[in-house]
Amino acid sequence: MDTRKKLINSAKRLFSKKGYYETKVSDIVADAGLSQGTFYIYFKSKEDIFKELVKDMSEKIIRLLKEYASKEDDIETIIKNATLDFFRIMYEEKPIAYIFMFQLIGINEEFRKLYFDKNRRVRELLNNIVKKGIEKGNFSYKNAENIVNILMGYVRIVYLEYLLKDKASLDEILNMVNEGIDVILKGVKT
Amino acid sequence: MDTRKKLINSAKRLFSKKGYYETKVSDIVADAGLSQGTFYIYFKSKEDIFKELVKDMSEKIIRLLKEYASKEDDIETIIKNATLDFFRIMYEEKPIAYIFMFQLIGINEEFRKLYFDKNRRVRELLNNIVKKGIEKGNFSYKNAENIVNILMGYVRIVYLEYLLKDKASLDEILNMVNEGIDVILKGVKT
Amino acid sequence: MDTRKKLINSAKRLFSKKGYYETKVSDIVADAGLSQGTFYIYFKSKEDIFKELVKDMSEKIIRLLKEYASKEDDIETIIKNATLDFFRIMYEEKPIAYIFMFQLIGINEEFRKLYFDKNRRVRELLNNIVKKGIEKGNFSYKNAENIVNILMGYVRIVYLEYLLKDKASLDEILNMVNEGIDVILKGVKT
Amino acid sequence: MDTRKKLINSAKRLFSKKGYYETKVSDIVADAGLSQGTFYIYFKSKEDIFKELVKDMSEKIIRLLKEYASKEDDIETIIKNATLDFFRIMYEEKPIAYIFMFQLIGINEEFRKLYFDKNRRVRELLNNIVKKGIEKGNFSYKNAENIVNILMGYVRIVYLEYLLKDKASLDEILNMVNEGIDVILKGVKT
DNA sequence: AATGAATGAGGCTTCATTCAT
DNA sequence: GATGAATGAAGCCTCATTCAT
């Protein structure tokens, strides 16, 4: 594996485990089996590699949502499938997802802004999907933004309480999410 | 106002604005108009004052939920009123709520554990309330834990996207939350 | 002696002996018998303390020249006395004078600019003195700027080759300078 | 142009512009369009290439002075012509002359010694020329060393204030120097 | 000869904490 | 109780130099 990749992987694991400030550059290079200096060949600074992780993650999520947004299926199916797929990605990318969803917001002012920036795109895409559902007359509750709130809030908390903690297998989690989304959609429809 | 209170207030504002690590003890004392040494008369360490803030907040929330848990009203009314009251507290204690809900989880390993610790109590109390609803036959969806997920996730995200950002007045937010809880409860009942 | 003064004195000696880059902050504090951290209570950075030394020196020189510029003596006497006094100051402040006259120019781009900045004032003041001599008809060579060149060049080199090296006693140097200035002034007059 | 020459040229420009310490080996190779490793094929170290520049310059000056020292012209003519030729060389080799005359002295202890070493030869040669003038009875001021001080000081400062700064054309500078040397020699003679 | 990735020593700076007054 | 100067450990980053290809 190439050096840069090694650093990215170590950074991912460590940032996610110990947080941004408690992860030292020296930890990352030690974990990657490299020397301090090597880090700075590939990344300008500790901030730099962190932002790269965040960028990778948000791009992955946005790509997923875009794909689903363009599908012509029934809206409820789209929402459900997108959510389940989303959890699959989260599962594969557990550390980085944690960084993205739970560390970024709290680190400092600059990173909080970055979080809201990246997050806006995600909300927009989800909003468009939900709006389509409203336009098609599927939903009786018409406030798309608030529906997005319920959906995204639910997803976030399930990630935090189940996926991150390895409290349940991916399948068990997907089952639970399946039910959860059903409940939410039922509420929205009636 | 006494010295200790001054320090607490400054810490609250600063931790919430800049995060735990970007808030220096020197910032706190400067903001409070005191000297470095004074800080250590009242608090053992920076960690110490931070934990005190977290403790205060979680106690406030738990007190609120306990109160509602013991009420004999209709469950849906309890949930709705508790949630709205919760937002009123969040509104008053915006900085500390932010610290509790969004910074604590991401800071480091120790604080993440602390978060889950404090949070467990909250979830338990909410769980008990929801269970009562299920037992009384109000809810057709029987998975209390998952209902709590939906409710708590929703509350968290509304705090983050609206209350924290001053995107809307308290009343507007309460109206939106009112609708949101309705939608969720509808889904749970049918 | 107070801490700040101790740091200034150590810095003066060390910068002058070893140059800007070879003088480490750790050298300065070790020499002053203090800890690393203490340095940063009194100075923002290594650059900061260095600039302070330069500022002190240039102010001292300018003050001297201003004083002589306002005297109503015979111009030749003013030039001679100012020069001799100048050497007395250089003698007392040997390290810092060396820094000012010979290190500053060569360190880096920023410091070179600083040097020319500080130096301009010195040249202006000397120029005014010389111009008065020309106006009074004392000098047959009328190019004040070029006369300043000869005088300042001479002073610089005597400092470098005699004073800095402890090659001769102050008195011997002053005698030599006395003669040197005489020779220059003779050339200017005839 | 061969690789070694490329490195020398880049080093010359960069050392002169940014100073010894602010010029990184990476800057030099980047400027020369080569890789880091290549540098060490041609030079043992950064110090090594710097010393080579200094050596080249001092040899050039010494060669010039030797040539003039052996001439059988009238001494004043020798001094004047040597000085003017000297400025022509400085003009062609502006960067390296700057390094030699103004950076070397201030960099660190070792380089200061190197400067005085190289400089001694120059002073000796000039001294011999001036002594001849005294012996021939051309000069009434008999202190050759001090005459050398005036001449060398003047040359140094003109280089610094005019040539380095591109404040005037070579011809204008040569005219000024012509006058300056005249004034000095007049002072020496009478 | 040329490359450029890797090294690691060491410098500057920050900041939580202590302690004498 | 309050002060604030002093501490020193530790982190980030730079950069001259090496070496395998």
Side-chain angles (χ1 to χ4, degrees):
Chain A
M1 187 174 38
D2 75 352
T3 308
R4 189 190 163 82
K5 199 85 188 169
K6 274 188 210 157
L7 288 167
I8 285 277
N9 283 342
S10 296
K12 216 185 270 189
R13 268 191 342 98
L14 290 170
F15 278 136
S16 137
K17 187 171 169 233
K18 302 158 62 131
Y20 180 74
Y21 289 101
E22 291 295 324
T23 300
K24 315 302 176 186
V25 173
S26 57
D27 297 334
I28 298 174
V29 294
D31 188 272
L34 295 163
S35 70
Q36 289 268 118
T38 304
F39 181 91
Y40 292 92
I41 298 173
Y42 296 93
F43 301 97
K44 262 205 332 284
S45 63
K46 181 174 148 180
E47 197 178 309
D48 189 40
I49 194 172
F50 186 81
K51 282 186 177 166
E52 175 143 342
L53 296 184
V54 168
K55 193 163 150 268
D56 285 358
M57 188 65 198
S58 68
E59 279 171 2
K60 219 170 231 175
I61 299 174
I62 287 168
R63 211 175 313 124
L64 172 77
L65 283 176
K66 269 190 182 158
E67 195 190 314
Y68 277 99
S70 64
K71 287 206 170 143
E72 281 309 318
D73 293 344
D74 160 54
I75 291 299
E76 292 176 50
T77 315
I78 288 177
I79 290 175
K80 189 171 285 179
N81 289 341
T83 309
L84 297 175
D85 252 23
F86 184 78
F87 272 96
R88 286 189 195 98
I89 292 181
M90 300 292 104
Y91 186 75
E92 280 166 30
E93 293 282 12
K94 207 184 294 180
I96 199 178
Y98 175 56
I99 293 169
F100 184 69
M101 295 198 298
F102 292 95
Q103 295 192 332
L104 196 53
I105 326 175
I107 290 172
N108 61 34
E109 294 167 280
E110 191 198 344
F111 285 172
R112 176 167 57 212
K113 269 188 202 129
L114 182 62
Y115 171 78
F116 282 126
D117 243 47
K118 299 291 181 192
N119 204 244
R120 190 189 354 251
R121 274 303 279 141
V122 174
R123 290 186 67 95
E124 277 169 15
L125 285 165
L126 200 48
N127 217 314
N128 290 339
I129 295 177
V130 170
K131 263 185 193 153
K132 261 198 242 172
I134 295 172
E135 282 157 17
K136 287 191 178 171
N138 294 17
F139 301 158
S140 66
Y141 182 55
K142 310 292 190 195
N143 188 339
E145 198 178 310
N146 209 15
I147 296 171
V148 169
N149 289 332
I150 301 173
L151 289 167
M152 282 190 68
Y154 177 61
V155 165
R156 283 178 62 101
I157 219 165
V158 171
Y159 172 87
L160 187 64
E161 297 278 346
Y162 300 83
L163 222 157
L164 182 69
K165 286 171 162 176
D166 285 315
K167 214 174 159 176
S169 74
L170 178 59
D171 276 348
E172 288 167 333
I173 293 169
L174 292 179
N175 278 335
M176 189 182 72
V177 170
N178 208 12
E179 286 179 19
I181 298 292
D182 270 349
V183 167
I184 294 169
L185 289 178
K186 241 186 275 168
V188 169
K189 284 195 292 187
T190 55
Chain B
M1 187 172 40
D2 74 353
T3 309
R4 190 190 160 81
K5 198 83 189 167
K6 273 189 210 157
L7 287 168
I8 285 277
N9 282 342
S10 296
K12 211 186 277 189
R13 268 194 342 99
L14 290 170
F15 279 135
S16 136
K17 187 171 170 235
K18 300 156 64 129
Y20 180 73
Y21 289 100
E22 291 294 323
T23 300
K24 317 300 175 189
V25 173
S26 58
D27 296 334
I28 297 174
V29 295
D31 187 89
L34 296 162
S35 69
Q36 296 263 114
T38 305
F39 181 90
Y40 290 88
I41 298 171
Y42 294 93
F43 301 96
K44 258 204 341 284
S45 63
K46 179 175 152 181
E47 199 179 308
D48 189 40
I49 194 172
F50 186 80
K51 283 184 178 166
E52 175 142 343
L53 296 185
V54 169
K55 195 162 149 268
D56 285 358
M57 187 65 197
S58 67
E59 279 171 1
K60 218 170 232 174
I61 298 172
I62 288 168
R63 212 176 309 125
L64 172 76
L65 283 176
K66 269 188 181 160
E67 195 189 315
Y68 277 98
S70 64
K71 287 205 171 143
E72 282 308 319
D73 293 344
D74 160 54
I75 292 299
E76 292 176 48
T77 315
I78 288 178
I79 290 174
K80 190 172 283 180
N81 288 341
T83 309
L84 296 176
D85 253 22
F86 185 77
F87 272 97
R88 285 188 196 97
I89 293 180
M90 300 292 104
Y91 187 76
E92 278 166 31
E93 295 281 13
K94 207 183 293 181
I96 199 176
Y98 176 57
I99 293 168
F100 183 70
M101 294 199 297
F102 293 95
Q103 295 191 333
L104 196 53
I105 327 174
I107 290 171
N108 61 35
E109 294 166 280
E110 191 197 343
F111 285 173
R112 176 167 59 211
K113 272 190 200 125
L114 181 62
Y115 170 79
F116 283 126
D117 244 46
K118 298 292 179 194
N119 203 244
R120 191 187 357 251
R121 275 302 282 140
V122 176
R123 290 186 67 93
E124 277 170 15
L125 284 165
L126 200 49
N127 217 316
N128 290 340
I129 295 176
V130 169
K131 263 186 192 153
K132 261 196 242 172
I134 294 171
E135 282 158 17
K136 287 191 178 170
N138 292 20
F139 301 159
S140 67
Y141 183 56
K142 309 294 189 196
N143 188 337
E145 200 178 306
N146 209 14
I147 296 172
V148 169
N149 289 333
I150 300 173
L151 287 168
M152 282 189 67
Y154 178 61
V155 165
R156 283 178 63 100
I157 218 165
V158 170
Y159 171 86
L160 186 64
E161 296 279 346
Y162 300 83
L163 223 156
L164 182 69
K165 287 173 163 175
D166 286 313
K167 213 174 159 178
S169 73
L170 179 59
D171 277 349
E172 287 167 334
I173 293 169
L174 294 179
N175 277 336
M176 190 182 71
V177 169
N178 209 12
E179 286 178 20
I181 298 293
D182 269 350
V183 167
I184 294 168
L185 290 178
K186 238 185 279 170
V188 169
K189 285 194 291 186
T190 54
Chain C
M1 188 173 39
D2 75 352
T3 308
R4 190 191 162 82
K5 199 86 189 167
K6 272 188 211 158
L7 288 168
I8 285 276
N9 283 342
S10 297
K12 215 186 273 190
R13 268 189 346 94
L14 291 169
F15 279 137
S16 136
K17 187 171 169 235
K18 301 158 63 133
Y20 180 74
Y21 290 101
E22 290 295 324
T23 300
K24 316 300 177 188
V25 172
S26 59
D27 296 333
I28 298 175
V29 294
D31 187 89
L34 296 163
S35 69
Q36 290 267 118
T38 305
F39 181 90
Y40 292 90
I41 299 173
Y42 295 94
F43 301 97
K44 264 205 331 285
S45 63
K46 181 174 149 182
E47 197 179 310
D48 189 39
I49 194 173
F50 186 81
K51 284 186 177 166
E52 175 143 341
L53 296 185
V54 170
K55 193 161 150 269
D56 285 358
M57 187 65 197
S58 67
E59 279 170 2
K60 219 170 231 175
I61 299 174
I62 288 169
R63 213 176 309 124
L64 172 76
L65 284 176
K66 270 191 182 159
E67 196 189 313
Y68 277 98
S70 65
K71 286 206 170 142
E72 281 308 319
D73 293 343
D74 160 53
I75 291 299
E76 291 175 50
T77 316
I78 289 178
I79 290 175
K80 190 172 285 178
N81 290 341
T83 310
L84 297 174
D85 252 23
F86 185 77
F87 272 97
R88 286 189 195 96
I89 293 181
M90 299 293 104
Y91 187 75
E92 279 165 31
E93 294 281 13
K94 205 182 295 181
I96 197 178
Y98 175 57
I99 293 169
F100 184 68
M101 294 199 296
F102 294 95
Q103 294 192 333
L104 195 54
I105 326 175
I107 291 170
N108 62 35
E109 295 166 281
E110 191 197 344
F111 284 174
R112 177 167 57 211
K113 271 189 200 127
L114 182 62
Y115 171 78
F116 282 125
D117 244 47
K118 298 293 181 191
N119 203 245
R120 190 186 357 250
R121 271 306 277 138
V122 174
R123 290 186 66 94
E124 277 169 16
L125 285 165
L126 201 48
N127 218 315
N128 290 340
I129 296 176
V130 170
K131 264 188 194 152
K132 261 197 243 171
I134 295 171
E135 282 158 17
K136 287 191 178 170
N138 293 19
F139 301 158
S140 66
Y141 183 56
K142 309 294 190 197
N143 188 338
E145 200 178 306
N146 208 15
I147 296 170
V148 169
N149 289 333
I150 300 173
L151 289 167
M152 283 189 68
Y154 178 61
V155 164
R156 283 177 63 103
I157 218 165
V158 170
Y159 171 88
L160 187 63
E161 296 280 347
Y162 300 83
L163 223 158
L164 183 67
K165 286 172 162 175
D166 286 315
K167 212 175 162 177
S169 73
L170 179 58
D171 276 349
E172 288 167 333
I173 293 169
L174 293 180
N175 277 335
M176 190 183 71
V177 169
N178 209 12
E179 286 178 19
I181 299 292
D182 270 349
V183 166
I184 294 169
L185 290 178
K186 239 186 278 170
V188 169
K189 284 194 294 186
T190 55
Chain D
M1 188 171 39
D2 75 351
T3 309
R4 192 190 159 81
K5 197 84 189 168
K6 273 189 209 155
L7 288 167
I8 285 277
N9 281 343
S10 296
K12 212 185 277 189
R13 267 192 345 97
L14 290 169
F15 279 135
S16 138
K17 186 172 172 233
K18 301 156 62 130
Y20 181 73
Y21 289 101
E22 290 295 322
T23 300
K24 317 299 177 190
V25 172
S26 59
D27 296 333
I28 297 174
V29 295
D31 188 90
L34 296 162
S35 70
Q36 296 263 114
T38 304
F39 181 90
Y40 290 88
I41 297 172
Y42 293 93
F43 301 96
K44 259 203 342 281
S45 64
K46 180 175 153 181
E47 200 178 306
D48 189 39
I49 194 173
F50 186 80
K51 283 184 178 167
E52 175 144 342
L53 296 184
V54 169
K55 194 161 148 269
D56 285 357
M57 188 63 197
S58 66
E59 280 172 1
K60 220 171 230 174
I61 298 174
I62 288 169
R63 213 177 309 124
L64 173 75
L65 283 175
K66 269 189 183 162
E67 195 190 316
Y68 276 98
S70 64
K71 285 203 173 149
E72 282 308 318
D73 294 344
D74 158 55
I75 292 297
E76 291 176 49
T77 314
I78 289 178
I79 290 175
K80 189 171 284 178
N81 288 342
T83 311
L84 297 175
D85 253 23
F86 185 77
F87 271 98
R88 286 189 194 98
I89 293 180
M90 301 293 103
Y91 187 75
E92 277 165 32
E93 293 282 12
K94 207 183 292 181
I96 199 177
Y98 175 58
I99 293 169
F100 184 69
M101 294 198 297
F102 293 94
Q103 294 191 335
L104 196 53
I105 326 175
I107 290 171
N108 61 34
E109 295 166 280
E110 191 199 343
F111 284 173
R112 177 166 58 210
K113 271 188 201 128
L114 182 61
Y115 171 79
F116 282 127
D117 245 45
K118 298 292 179 193
N119 205 243
R120 190 187 357 252
R121 275 300 282 140
V122 174
R123 289 186 67 93
E124 277 169 15
L125 285 165
L126 201 47
N127 219 313
N128 289 340
I129 295 176
V130 169
K131 263 186 193 155
K132 261 196 242 171
I134 295 171
E135 283 158 17
K136 286 191 179 170
N138 291 20
F139 302 160
S140 66
Y141 182 57
K142 308 295 189 194
N143 188 338
E145 200 178 307
N146 209 14
I147 295 172
V148 169
N149 288 334
I150 300 173
L151 288 168
M152 283 188 68
Y154 178 61
V155 165
R156 283 178 63 101
I157 219 166
V158 170
Y159 172 87
L160 187 64
E161 296 280 346
Y162 300 83
L163 223 158
L164 184 68
K165 285 172 163 175
D166 286 315
K167 214 175 158 176
S169 74
L170 178 59
D171 277 348
E172 288 167 333
I173 293 170
L174 292 180
N175 278 335
M176 191 182 71
V177 169
N178 209 10
E179 286 178 18
I181 298 293
D182 270 349
V183 166
I184 294 169
L185 289 179
K186 239 186 278 169
V188 169
K189 285 194 294 187
T190 54

